[in-house]
Amino acid sequence: MNQTEAFYQRIEKALQNDQVRQNIRSAMNGLMQKRAEQFNDPEELSELREKARSIRHYSLAKQAELLEKLEQKLIENGIQVHWAETAQQANNIISTILKDAGAKTIVKGKSMVSEEIGLNDYLEQQQIEVLESDLGEFIIQLAKEPPSHIVAPAIHKNRQQIAKLFHHFFPELSYSEDVNELTLMARKILREKFEKADAGVSGVNFAVAETGTLCLVENEGNGRLSTTSPDLHIAITGIEKVVEKLSDIPGLLNMLTKSATGQTITTYFNMISRPRQPDEKDGPRAVHLVLLDNGRSRIRFDNDLLETLRCIRCGSCMNHCPVYVHVGGHAYGTTYPGPIGTVLEPQLAGINNIGALTSACSLCGACAEVCPVKIPLPKLINQLRAEAVNEHFSDKPVLGKGSLRKTPEVIAWSIWQKIYSNPFLYKTFSWFATSLNFLTPSKLGKWSKYRTVPKPAKKSLNQLAQENGFDYE
Amino acid sequence: MSNRDNILNRLKQNTLSEPVKIESNVSSFVWSKDEKITQLTKCITAVHGEVHHLTNIHWIDWLNQELPKRGLKQVLIGRNKVTDEYTYKADKSVTIHHYDKPIDSWKDKLFNQIDVGLTTTVGAIAKTGSLILWPDAAEPRLLSLVPPVHIALLDANTIFDTFEQAIEELEWAKNTPSNALLISGPSKTADIEQTLAYGIHGPKELIVLIIDK
Amino acid sequence: MQLLRHEGVRVIFPKNQGCCGQPAFNSGYREQALPVARALSKCFPKELPIIVPSASCAGMIKHHWQELFAGQEDEQYVLDIASRTYELTEYLVNELRIKLTDLGEPIEIAVHSSCSAQREMKVDQHIKSLISQLDNVNIIEHQRKTECCGFGGTFMVKQADISGAMVKDKTDCLRETGATTVISQDCGCLMNIGGAFEKQMASGEKSMNTQHIAEFLWQRCYKE
């Protein structure tokens, strides 16, 4: 089965699941409303977005220099730095650190990059026990599912489903569908793990070059526990997360929390600059940072595509995406779903692997309107569509260019072009019925399942214009 | 060539024209002390935290009144001038524990027997309702995190307007602490149906005592 | 056109006009979009304002042609065209400062602002301001009014199921208003929404009329 067919299958499955669709819709409504309440002054919002954009753009422009500075400061601070070009290398690095330390159990704070490299599976194959400690991640780890949203990973599940899941895995705890009680159950289960874990793994929201500081944004405290309680902390992050100065942080943090969950600030903002010092009583004795490329440096090579890398992973593009709202995160079949996933994933994994994602976008622009760092998502999606069907569209280093070019489509568009660029051929209005319907033979006419076929007008606009005496020249 | 050099070389292949960064404007607004206290209180109480502005009562007296009422007995504190005073003046119903040994030997006690972690703060941020903590040898990192109740002492004169201002006035970049925290409420989650629930991993309660003489 | 003429504008209908190229442009087939767009661009050599009665086509000409024509010989010419391009309601409100008198019966309507009108052309307020001049017309706001109706040109064909789910949501929200008519600035959305209403009628659901703003204004303010 090719990627396009597989994608259609996932979409079909998602659209049939009314429960999940309802769960997602109601959560997204809440998130959109809370965000809107935080940004009630359009002028201020526009300034804040421009500022955040400029900070992220500056960081990308100076990325090599800043990463070298970051590395130098981290080493001075006693944090060990590792570089991984690929997911495989990152997994290797992490498992080697863990084995060298004799670590058998690890607790994880939420990290999308660790999802990107498939860290959990990799470590479990090496007989290392991995426990997700973010409540949402914990839930989906029990359910053996990937996250469906980058900020709210278990958003597709409702409380009844979660209650059943907890009851199945922890029958000794009494069954409850109450959110508070479910939360307290998770606290109880996870506390013990935090106490006993040999190592903690986390992501990083921002890495500050000036001070050698790893910043983590969270509400639960699991991130702080994962990075503070065990004796070993391994952080993993994409190379694009570096920023120049500490003073860059407030402007980004503010936009991140408000855009993501409509919070003025999250409960915890955790800034780690050193492992446990000789006189300190706690904190990990060793801290490692793994810097992951995995295609990012290739994206940065092009001035248009590098806008993708400004992303601060707030998830507001998916919260506002009418496609995401209907199909949910799992339909994308990728680590990052929604508009940012549609732009990022084909660039990371290649259009030949996952370029079909770009078809699931009506180019409505809702995502770009809310993006806190002004990534022109629809424009990038449309550019990737052009790369997908034309190997020679640009000299951008995109993987799998032209791999979605299909002969029937090329023929259809060429006929369309002939008709529409030639005034003599084009004097009729039945273009939808004629040229577009055979674009995708496999989906022929499926759109008419939801709406009637428009009937061509009795007279063309050209005829009407003439008959009504307009200047016709 | 190492991974590192490969990555850096690829990044260096595309040099972007000198980018412009919009710097933070630190003095964008200036609140009076009372305004800052009001704003901070508003933010923290909005997220389920408790704030008490102590003008006529010493914070130790406040604790001696309140802790017995709330049934909080096992109090963990650091070793510094401020909290040392409490060791001698605490109500008899309270047992004081000091966080003065490496955690490795008594993790179980920290996780299971302590009711309250009492800390000082470096300051606070009025705009977002955040406490600034710079944990150190005297007041370790887990003190404000593991016990189910976190009580934080805040000097009313150390509240900043914004995070930007705190970074500048504390010369944060120069004095980078090993671990720094902004704490803006009790631990919470909305991972189940976007419904807020408190105390998922960290403290279920955050009590801020603003000391204002 | 009749509406503009009635307001004293001499309207020229370039007889060779075709398509702005958007369908192919949004499908990745820019090679094919370019000659089509170029053929249309040649219809507007005179330094005259170009009025487009559909926000998405206007958006294509005004904002995307420069991307499509980048590096081409006629890039400058196309930029000039973009600067002269107006969406119809934008022209009526900002340039013509039209004054309308409502001659119609009281009516409740819903307004669907297309994505291009809201986010690309930023002209969604103009349709409201035109209708606010009509005494007997009451706009009822619908839920999720800024959300896309699922048209998206070839998106509707390529992702028919998602598009179908989106237009179902849109029609449900519009129906909830209890208004009889949906007005929009965009022909694509109207075709999508109108077609969906018609299809849903077969399963016994209440339908609504769909009408382009120009036709709506013409009928209410000019036709006796």
Side-chain angles (χ1 to χ4, degrees):
Chain A
M1 185 162 47
N2 70 32
Q3 54 152 320
T4 309
E5 285 162 15
F7 187 35
Y8 280 138
Q9 272 191 8
R10 292 194 299 270
I11 288 168
E12 206 170 323
K13 193 172 156 213
L15 286 172
Q16 280 162 0
N17 196 333
D18 288 338
Q19 181 66 62
V20 167
R21 285 176 66 192
Q22 215 177 325
N23 296 348
I24 293 174
R25 169 64 93 175
S26 92
M28 296 306 111
N29 282 349
L31 288 169
M32 284 193 280
Q33 194 191 335
K34 280 190 250 167
R35 175 192 172 275
E37 284 163 10
Q38 286 287 350
F39 294 122
N40 47 23
D41 179 348
E43 209 167 302
E44 191 191 6
L45 171 61
S46 138
E47 280 170 27
L48 291 171
R49 290 176 77 214
E50 179 51 27
K51 181 173 154 188
R53 186 207 64 78
S54 80
I55 295 170
R56 287 297 301 135
H57 180 73
Y58 182 94
S59 311
L60 291 174
K62 302 239 169 198
Q63 198 179 0
E65 191 186 309
L66 293 180
L67 283 170
E68 285 172 321
K69 177 84 197 275
L70 175 71
E71 180 188 41
Q72 181 207 331
K73 284 305 287 191
L74 286 169
I75 292 170
E76 274 175 33
N77 291 353
I79 294 177
Q80 298 167 62
V81 180
H82 311 264
W83 302 72
E85 289 190 75
T86 62
Q88 180 63 36
Q89 285 178 2
N91 283 327
N92 268 331
I93 290 167
I94 294 173
S95 75
T96 306
I97 298 170
L98 290 169
K99 278 182 197 155
D100 289 351
K104 291 266 182 287
T105 59
I106 68 166
V107 281
K108 273 183 72 196
K110 197 172 144 31
S111 154
M112 288 311 294
V113 172
S114 76
E115 301 281 348
E116 179 184 329
I117 63 172
L119 180 66
N120 291 9
D121 287 347
Y122 186 88
L123 293 180
E124 274 159 14
Q125 280 164 20
Q126 325 261 322
Q127 319 306 325
I128 295 171
E129 187 194 332
V130 184
L131 190 81
E132 292 287 350
S133 63
D134 170 85
L135 178 58
E137 293 279 351
F138 176 63
I139 291 166
I140 58 167
Q141 191 184 25
L142 292 178
K144 295 195 168 49
E145 288 173 15
S148 64
H149 188 287
I150 63 169
V151 173
I155 203 62
H156 57 290
K157 293 209 174 299
N158 62 19
R159 67 184 77 192
Q160 289 79 13
Q161 293 168 314
I162 294 164
K164 288 197 187 100
L165 201 58
F166 277 24
H167 192 65
H168 177 76
F169 283 95
F170 310 101
E172 69 279 11
L173 302 174
S174 56
Y175 182 86
S176 171
E177 291 180 0
D178 179 85
V179 172
N180 277 312
E181 284 181 30
L182 288 167
T183 303
L184 291 181
M185 283 181 210
R187 178 184 174 101
K188 197 166 174 267
I189 298 160
L190 288 164
R191 278 236 140 186
E192 200 183 323
K193 302 286 184 181
F194 280 124
E195 197 189 321
K196 306 271 155 65
D198 300 320
V201 170
S202 77
V204 174
N205 291 95
F206 314 110
V208 185
E210 175 187 30
T211 54
T213 302
L214 310 178
C215 304
L216 279 86
V217 178
E218 57 149 346
N219 282 311
E220 296 188 0
N222 69 308
R224 281 181 67 195
L225 279 166
S226 306
T227 59
T228 317
S229 181
D231 215 23
L232 168 64
H233 169 210
I234 304 168
I236 175 158
T237 193
I239 50 172
E240 81 280 19
K241 292 283 176 68
V242 66
V243 298
E244 186 190 25
K245 291 188 200 162
L246 198 61
S247 58
D248 293 336
I249 294 297
L252 295 178
L253 176 63
N254 176 49
M255 291 308 275
L256 174 59
T257 64
K258 287 180 175 171
S259 304
T261 51
Q263 290 177 271
T264 311
I265 192 166
T266 50
T267 299
Y268 300 115
F269 186 57
N270 179 11
M271 306 165 79
I272 301 163
S273 303
R274 278 179 217 101
R276 185 193 299 196
Q277 299 299 291
D279 56 346
E280 281 192 271
K281 313 294 185 293
D282 62 13
R285 287 191 171 84
V287 179
H288 297 258
L289 175 69
V290 180
L291 289 163
L292 176 72
D293 183 341
N294 204 28
R296 288 164 172 80
S297 58
R298 185 181 58 243
I299 298 173
R300 191 193 166 280
F301 190 76
D302 180 76
N303 289 352
D304 291 325
L305 300 177
L306 71 75
E307 301 198 80
T308 314
L309 300 170
R310 285 208 298 269
C311 178
I312 55 173
R313 303 282 189 268
C314 72
S316 81
C317 60
M318 55 202 77
N319 299 347
H320 290 75
C321 174
V323 172
Y324 177 89
V325 161
H326 282 290
V327 301
H330 290 160
Y332 292 81
T334 50
T335 305
Y336 307 95
I340 187 63
T342 303
V343 170
L344 180 61
E345 293 281 0
Q347 294 187 68
L348 292 179
I351 289 172
N352 47 328
N353 284 314
I354 199 72
L357 291 191
T358 59
S359 68
C361 171
S362 68
L363 300 176
C364 80
C367 51
E369 191 177 44
V370 296
C371 176
V373 288
K374 298 170 79 171
I375 302 173
L377 292 154
K379 182 180 150 196
L380 292 170
I381 290 172
N382 207 11
Q383 279 182 4
L384 289 172
R385 286 180 181 175
E387 301 283 2
V389 298
N390 185 351
E391 204 183 335
H392 310 290
F393 170 65
S394 75
D395 55 5
K396 297 181 195 310
V398 181
L399 298 179
K401 284 176 173 204
S403 58
L404 295 180
R405 188 177 182 89
K406 295 192 193 89
T407 312
E409 279 192 11
V410 178
I411 295 170
W413 285 115
S414 300
I415 296 170
W416 174 88
Q417 178 212 316
K418 289 281 176 310
I419 298 170
Y420 279 80
S421 55
N422 185 331
F424 298 103
L425 289 175
Y426 162 70
K427 289 282 156 144
T428 165
F429 253 81
S430 55
W431 62 277
F432 242 95
T434 55
S435 60
L436 292 184
N437 238 355
F438 58 96
L439 257 181
T440 50
S442 63
K443 297 264 114 183
L444 177 71
K446 200 170 181 191
W447 59 282
S448 64
K449 194 169 134 194
Y450 305 99
R451 48 186 89 64
T452 55
V453 181
K455 295 175 251 338
K458 289 192 196 87
K459 286 180 182 172
S460 75
L461 200 55
N462 286 54
Q463 285 171 295
L464 286 171
Q466 276 175 300
E467 285 173 21
N468 285 288
F470 286 93
D471 289 332
Y472 189 66
E473 50 188 52
Chain B
M1 287 274 272
S2 65
N3 297 344
R4 175 187 184 276
D5 296 341
N6 289 338
I7 294 171
L8 290 173
N9 282 341
R10 280 197 295 274
L11 295 177
K12 283 170 187 168
Q13 276 169 31
N14 181 13
T15 44
L16 279 74
S17 54
E18 192 58 36
V20 181
K21 181 166 75 183
I22 303 172
E23 297 286 346
S24 294
N25 182 2
V26 174
S27 56
S28 54
F29 53 96
V30 181
W31 274 322
S32 71
K33 190 173 90 179
D34 284 345
E35 283 168 331
K36 285 190 279 195
I37 291 172
T38 307
Q39 172 69 15
L40 182 83
T41 307
K42 196 181 98 189
C43 289
I44 292 181
T45 50
V47 293
H48 239 240
E50 245 181 78
V51 182
H52 301 278
H53 184 191
L54 308 182
T55 46
N56 299 316
I57 178 172
H58 193 275
W59 61 272
I60 293 181
D61 295 328
W62 188 93
L63 288 178
N64 286 342
Q65 279 173 25
E66 286 293 322
L67 296 190
K69 264 197 249 171
R70 302 179 187 215
L72 299 171
K73 296 194 172 101
Q74 310 298 324
V75 178
L76 182 65
I77 61 173
R79 283 266 185 218
N80 62 23
K81 264 191 267 170
V82 184
T83 48
D84 273 352
E85 199 187 341
Y86 183 48
T87 316
Y88 308 106
K89 295 184 182 165
D91 186 82
K92 284 186 194 66
S93 66
V94 165
T95 311
I96 303 281
H97 305 265
H98 286 278
Y99 201 141
D100 54 5
K101 289 190 295 289
I103 186 59
D104 318 75
S105 60
W106 58 285
K107 235 181 198 172
D108 185 60
K109 180 176 159 188
L110 171 67
F111 272 78
N112 299 306
Q113 291 170 34
I114 302 295
D115 298 325
V116 177
L118 175 70
T119 71
T120 60
T121 53
V122 173
I125 297 162
K127 194 177 180 198
T128 54
S130 310
L131 303 171
I132 303 169
L133 274 77
W134 289 6
D136 56 12
E139 286 194 345
R141 308 180 191 199
L142 292 171
L143 177 56
S144 62
L145 180 63
V146 177
V149 177
H150 174 206
I151 299 178
L153 305 176
L154 171 65
D155 179 343
N157 298 309
T158 61
I159 307 175
F160 301 97
D161 289 357
T162 61
F163 191 12
E164 286 89 338
Q165 192 192 30
I167 287 175
E168 183 163 291
E169 294 195 11
L170 292 169
E171 297 187 54
W172 199 317
K174 231 192 317 176
N175 307 317
T176 311
S178 294
N179 182 211
L181 302 161
L182 303 185
I183 298 178
S184 311
S187 158
K188 69 178 176 215
T189 183
D191 275 350
I192 303 178
E193 292 189 2
Q194 287 289 298
T195 306
L196 271 176
Y198 291 90
I200 167 69
H201 293 298
K204 297 171 192 174
E205 289 175 47
L206 172 68
I207 301 168
V208 181
L209 303 181
I210 302 179
I211 299 159
D212 191 6
K213 279 169 209 154
Chain C
M1 287 193 286
Q2 284 172 319
L3 200 148
L4 287 166
R5 183 165 62 184
H6 198 276
E7 291 299 313
V9 179
R10 187 185 150 208
V11 182
I12 303 169
F13 185 91
K15 62 179 175 186
N16 287 339
Q17 65 180 299
C19 173
C20 64
Q22 183 164 216
F25 180 76
N26 286 353
S27 303
Y29 290 90
R30 299 193 183 192
E31 268 171 289
Q32 284 79 7
L34 184 62
V36 171
R38 181 169 286 138
L40 181 62
S41 76
K42 286 183 181 154
C43 297
F44 306 106
K46 293 186 190 165
E47 276 293 320
L48 295 173
I50 301 160
I51 318 297
V52 187
S54 210
S56 81
C57 310
M60 177 71 194
I61 297 170
K62 205 166 177 70
H63 299 290
H64 300 301
W65 270 13
Q66 48 181 303
E67 196 183 336
L68 183 62
F69 284 84
Q72 301 286 324
E73 271 179 15
D74 42 359
E75 188 180 355
Q76 273 311 313
Y77 170 66
V78 159
L79 286 175
D80 173 57
I81 287 190
S83 70
R84 293 188 269 132
T85 299
Y86 301 84
E87 186 272 335
L88 175 67
T89 63
E90 177 187 21
Y91 190 78
L92 294 178
V93 173
N94 285 351
E95 304 299 316
L96 228 48
R97 298 181 192 281
I98 194 168
K99 292 280 172 283
L100 297 164
T101 311
D102 194 1
L103 306 172
E105 294 294 309
I107 185 177
E108 291 191 322
I109 63 163
V111 174
H112 168 68
S113 289
S114 72
C115 301
S116 318
Q118 292 175 61
R119 291 183 269 263
E120 206 162 71
M121 294 297 291
K122 303 192 192 321
V123 294
D124 56 314
Q125 75 280 17
H126 298 316
I127 189 166
K128 300 260 167 71
S129 90
L130 288 170
I131 293 171
S132 70
Q133 293 188 37
L134 307 179
D135 295 338
N136 283 335
V137 181
N138 184 20
I139 300 179
I140 307 186
E141 299 278 0
H142 58 284
Q143 291 284 309
R144 302 203 279 268
K145 57 178 178 166
T146 58
E147 201 166 287
C148 176
C149 70
F151 175 61
T154 51
F155 167 75
M156 182 175 91
V157 182
K158 288 208 166 189
Q159 291 292 356
D161 292 330
I162 304 175
S163 169
M166 285 162 70
V167 76
K168 174 157 190 329
D169 262 16
K170 183 55 77 178
T171 48
D172 286 349
C173 290
L174 288 167
R175 202 180 280 118
E176 266 173 34
T177 61
T180 53
T181 303
V182 186
I183 305 296
S184 179
Q185 288 149 291
D186 232 294
C187 306
C189 306
L190 284 170
M191 183 185 82
N192 180 36
I193 294 170
F197 273 128
E198 209 172 304
K199 190 85 184 180
Q200 292 160 10
M201 261 200 330
S203 47
E205 298 219 55
K206 200 175 138 254
S207 182
M208 292 173 82
N209 301 323
T210 52
Q211 212 172 23
H212 190 269
I213 179 69
E215 190 188 355
F216 181 71
L217 294 179
W218 180 248
Q219 284 180 1
R220 290 197 72 89
C221 306
Y222 299 90
K223 274 191 176 167
E224 57 283 356

